Amino acid sequence: MTAALLVLAIAGAIGVVVLSLRLARARREVQRHQRALESTLDRVEHIERAFQRFAPLEVVEQFAQGGAAHEPAYRQVTIMFADLKGFTPMSEQIEPQLMVDMLNGYFRAMNRALTEHHGHLSRLMGDGLMALFGAFDHNPWQAADAVRAALAMRAALAEYNRELAERRLPLLSFGVGINVGRAVAGVMGSDHLTEFTVIGDAVNLAARVEGLTRQHGVDILITEPVRAALDQRFVVRAMPATMVKGKTEPIVTFAVDSFEERSSAPADARA
Amino acid sequence: MAVLLGELEWLEKPLVGETTDPEWEKEVIASYGMMPAVLRRVASVPWARRAYFDLSRAGTKALSTGQSELAGFVTAQENACRYCYGIARTRMRMLGFTEEMVDRIENNARLAEADPEERELVKFCRNLARSKPRPSRAAREALESVGYSQLQTVELAWVTASASFCNRVSTLLAVPPELEMERSAPKQNLWSSLKAWLPGAAAPKPPPLGYPPPTATGMLGELVAVLQDSPGAAVLEATVKAAFEKTTLRRRTVCLMFAVVSHTLGSSFCAKASAEMLAAEGFSRSDLDEVLSTLASRSLDDVESRLLPWARDTVWLPEQPKRIQERTRPLQSLGDQALIEAVTVAALANSCVRLAMLLE
């Protein structure tokens, strides 16, 4: 009887030990899966945050969750094009690495100015860039934001040129064109290359206006709808109406001189 | 898509000093068992400190503690508030949650995908805190479709709005994270669990908030009415009243800040309410239109000219809190009291406009 009890007790103890070992192994397995899951989630979050620079949050999350393609829609957007003047011939005389360094420094400075004024750097095209205001978020002040961003970019470029001068490198100058209007915003491209962007006549006109900066000999040029959205603190000058490709009527543009914080100038003193 | 805790950039020097008020600290400690640093930073402005204290502890009627804590946690993460994130963890531990439970709630915020109810809760709170754009009626219906009652949905919006208020005040004032408190908060272990059964060991029950029943009249009365069945209704009503009546800022300045935040987020209800208040203050509709289209006007005084563009920037907090803290720093020249009031008003306006999604 005692021997049987002893055997039972030993068997029970062995059972408990085996169960404990299995439990411990299962727990380790669960912890391993949990760590793997957490690490994957961390990576997904990092990727989502990186993509947030290229598309609105809801679009990124929709993609991350494997949802249907983002529905394109008309949005009121302010579009800015900026291009370095004379950079292509200049770049032929500079070492490739130096040229890339110069461009990277320039884009960093421009991006800071854009972000500071609620803009999103949407696309880089060689030495040019396209920035959007109001495409990612509802922004009732998008036109004024874009013009203030352009002025901040002008100041940032002057600062960057001082740095280039110290390094005995050629100085940079740019032209900026800004337009506001309705554009189709959405995810576009092929299976191989996709981007969130805006298309439409308003976008094309912004690019044409940037091109006019050379013709008018100014650095920041805005269209009439942009000027109409500004208040009297913005000091602008009317430029001669000019024909541009794709338009049947000449385009009226305004050069932007400055922004004066508490201007007492009457509104009709503009332009 | 919150920034990870370790990556948050936070201004090293807070934007306002501390005020020591023994009576105030006694009251806070009676409720919290500790004195959060933020309540010392806002202590010099009685209505602002009351707003923070009561909004952070108003509680809910229909949500479980786990649901409330999860909603508050998700909101603090979404708003990238380093201060509140740490406090939320510490507070849960002081409430008796074990370290494991706190970790689970934190993980749930990230692993909620596994459960439809939690997934909808996390999605709703994140989207409301973010408000890019504000969630619509469809978002409320999505919550109800997975089993949340109408009151629970209202209270989730309330928890998100009140947590957003606290997140903004702490962030905008750059209140230093309570690292010492986070480290030294009592942890639940076998001894503390056993001790809880000893006579007299039960934690003292925090005193009730002591507000009269809400009347749902006056500024944003309809918003209070939506919360009618929740303990938050009385707190919201008293806080809105105090923001308009007890502040040393001009009443119209407060209205203008509400108007700018409403316009930025596109809230028709709050825009209408603030326009009516401004009209009652004698601020013309044309001046308001000018302010809303340019964030400036010759009819504004110097303080308003500085506060309104900044109020707009408080609507969508940048990914890195340091950016909005640096943007707030120049307002230090207004003085501690005015800065605390401006921050509290901006935070309240943001919360009310988010909450107004229940009416729109």
Side-chain angles (χ1 to χ4, degrees):
Chain A
M1 180 70 178
T2 315
L5 277 175
L6 195 62
V7 169
L8 265 177
I10 290 169
I14 290 169
V16 168
V17 169
V18 169
L19 270 176
S20 302
L21 286 173
R22 284 193 175 169
L23 199 61
R25 194 191 300 160
R27 188 175 287 177
R28 277 199 301 276
E29 193 68 5
V30 167
Q31 282 170 348
R32 199 169 64 83
H33 285 302
Q34 179 136 2
R35 277 197 300 274
L37 186 56
E38 282 172 14
S39 155
T40 308
L41 280 169
D42 277 348
R43 282 204 299 273
V44 170
E45 280 193 11
H46 276 292
I47 293 168
E48 284 187 351
R49 280 172 41 220
F51 272 89
Q52 201 183 323
R53 286 181 220 128
F54 305 109
L57 268 176
E58 66 267 25
V59 177
V60 176
E61 288 188 346
Q62 220 167 341
F63 269 102
Q65 286 159 13
H70 178 71
E71 192 82 21
Y74 274 107
R75 288 193 195 188
Q76 180 78 2
V77 185
T78 301
I79 310 107
M80 171 200 281
F81 279 89
D83 202 30
L84 283 176
K85 291 177 179 171
F87 190 77
T88 309
M90 185 197 299
S91 64
E92 285 162 10
Q93 294 157 25
I94 308 174
E95 288 295 316
Q97 186 58 53
L98 197 54
M99 182 188 75
V100 171
D101 286 349
M102 274 178 79
L103 266 185
N104 286 347
Y106 164 76
F107 284 130
R108 265 196 301 276
M110 297 304 106
N111 190 42
R112 266 198 300 275
L114 286 165
T115 312
E116 206 59 37
H117 292 90
H118 307 273
H120 283 92
L121 182 53
S122 170
R123 192 189 296 169
L124 299 178
M125 300 152 293
D127 57 10
L129 66 88
M130 179 172 91
L132 302 174
F133 297 77
F136 285 33
D137 320 316
H138 168 68
N139 180 355
W141 303 284
Q142 51 178 264
D145 281 343
V147 178
R148 291 195 68 178
L151 290 165
M153 286 161 67
R154 177 195 279 165
L157 182 59
E159 178 69 32
Y160 188 51
N161 273 336
R162 277 192 282 279
E163 192 186 315
L164 293 176
E166 279 172 18
R167 293 164 59 194
R168 297 179 184 282
L169 289 169
L171 304 188
L172 303 176
S173 64
F174 68 17
V176 174
I178 303 173
N179 184 36
V180 60
R182 268 159 63 84
V184 176
V187 179
M188 295 167 212
S190 70
D191 290 346
H192 298 287
L193 185 62
T194 303
E195 65 173 350
F196 177 86
T197 192
V198 291
I199 52 166
D201 193 43
V203 183
N204 299 339
L205 184 57
R208 304 275 178 237
V209 169
E210 184 275 311
L212 286 181
T213 56
R214 287 163 184 77
Q215 195 171 328
H216 292 313
V218 296
D219 62 349
I220 303 172
L221 214 46
I222 60 175
T223 57
E224 171 58 34
V226 176
R227 190 207 69 100
L230 303 181
D231 60 83
Q232 65 270 26
R233 292 171 299 170
F234 291 87
V235 180
V236 300
R237 278 176 293 127
M239 295 283 113
T242 314
M243 285 302 295
V244 295
K245 195 177 162 190
K247 290 282 170 192
T248 51
E249 296 289 322
I251 296 299
V252 177
T253 53
F254 299 82
V256 181
D257 287 336
S258 60
F259 174 79
E260 291 166 6
E261 200 56 63
R262 296 271 289 177
S263 171
S264 56
D268 55 10
R270 293 180 296 167
Chain B
M1 203 191 296
V3 175
L4 302 177
L5 185 66
E7 294 172 2
L8 288 178
E9 293 171 11
W10 199 259
L11 214 59
E12 278 181 20
K13 200 167 178 293
L15 298 182
V16 291
E18 286 188 328
T19 300
T20 308
D21 178 342
E23 276 304 303
W24 169 239
E25 297 197 6
K26 201 171 142 193
E27 185 188 346
V28 174
I29 290 167
S31 263
Y32 280 168
M34 60 181 186
M35 185 64 198
V38 65
L39 291 175
R40 278 207 185 100
R41 299 271 166 198
V42 296
S44 61
V45 182
W47 77 266
R49 74 187 190 190
R50 173 64 52 199
Y52 193 109
F53 186 37
D54 289 351
L55 279 163
S56 67
R57 66 185 181 129
T60 56
K61 188 175 169 186
L63 293 177
S64 69
T65 310
Q67 286 169 329
S68 293
E69 293 296 341
L70 182 54
F73 215 88
V74 167
T75 306
Q77 278 185 329
E78 188 57 43
N79 287 328
C81 180
R82 172 65 188 87
Y83 179 84
C84 295
Y85 187 87
I87 281 286
R89 279 192 71 99
T90 309
R91 201 160 73 93
M92 283 193 282
R93 269 152 56 184
M94 302 203 70
L95 282 169
F97 285 66
T98 64
E99 194 72 10
E100 199 183 358
M101 284 162 78
V102 176
D103 285 342
R104 196 166 58 80
I105 289 175
E106 186 176 2
N107 279 336
N108 278 351
R110 302 170 66 224
L111 304 176
E113 308 295 329
D115 177 87
E117 269 183 53
E118 284 184 346
R119 183 174 59 228
E120 285 304 325
L121 183 154
V122 168
K123 194 168 143 191
F124 179 80
C125 297
R126 273 194 179 149
N127 287 343
L128 184 55
R130 183 186 300 163
S131 286
K132 273 186 173 185
R134 279 184 316 155
S136 59
R137 182 186 295 270
R140 300 195 322 254
E141 288 166 0
L143 272 177
E144 284 162 21
S145 72
V146 292
Y148 288 94
S149 69
Q150 205 175 350
L151 183 57
Q152 281 178 318
T153 303
V154 165
E155 288 195 324
L156 278 177
W158 162 251
V159 171
T160 307
S162 54
S164 290
F165 171 88
C166 297
N167 298 160
R168 273 185 174 70
V169 173
S170 311
T171 300
L172 295 171
L173 295 177
V175 178
E178 308 250 20
L179 299 178
E180 188 52 41
M181 189 183 285
E182 287 171 26
R183 274 193 295 269
S184 62
K187 291 179 183 170
Q188 199 80 356
N189 50 30
L190 184 62
W191 168 240
S192 61
S193 302
L194 287 173
K195 208 170 61 170
W197 292 92
L198 296 177
K205 210 174 173 179
L209 294 182
Y211 286 99
T215 59
T217 55
M219 175 73 173
L220 305 180
E222 288 168 66
L223 203 50
V224 173
V226 178
L227 292 173
Q228 198 69 44
D229 292 329
S230 176
V235 182
L236 179 69
E237 185 168 79
T239 305
V240 169
K241 196 166 176 231
F244 284 92
E245 291 178 1
K246 295 189 179 165
T247 175
T248 58
L249 296 172
R250 291 173 79 178
R251 193 180 163 93
R252 74 164 210 186
T253 308
V254 176
C255 298
L256 282 165
M257 287 173 74
F258 263 78
V260 166
V261 172
S262 308
H263 190 56
T264 311
L265 277 167
S267 164
S268 54
F269 168 77
C270 290
K272 184 168 170 278
S274 40
E276 283 168 2
M277 287 283 284
L278 280 163
E281 292 295 308
F283 198 80
S284 75
R285 183 69 228 189
S286 59
D287 283 342
L288 176 59
D289 289 341
E290 187 187 4
V291 167
L292 294 181
S293 62
T294 65
L295 289 172
S297 166
R298 273 181 234 158
S299 57
L300 298 180
D301 66 28
D302 188 49
V303 172
E304 290 163 345
S305 296
R306 296 176 66 189
L307 286 183
L308 298 190
W310 167 82
R312 174 255 177 127
D313 285 341
T314 66
V315 170
W316 291 306
L317 296 175
E319 191 176 83
Q320 286 298 352
K322 197 174 179 181
R323 272 184 56 208
I324 186 67
Q325 290 166 344
E326 280 168 347
R327 175 87 180 77
T328 308
R329 188 155 44 192
L331 298 178
Q332 278 183 299
S333 60
L334 297 175
D336 272 11
Q337 172 149 5
L339 177 55
I340 291 168
E341 292 194 316
V343 161
T344 309
V345 168
L348 185 62
N350 271 286
S351 294
C352 289
V353 175
R354 279 166 172 78
L355 202 53
M357 62 86 65
L358 296 169
L359 290 167
E360 293 164 358

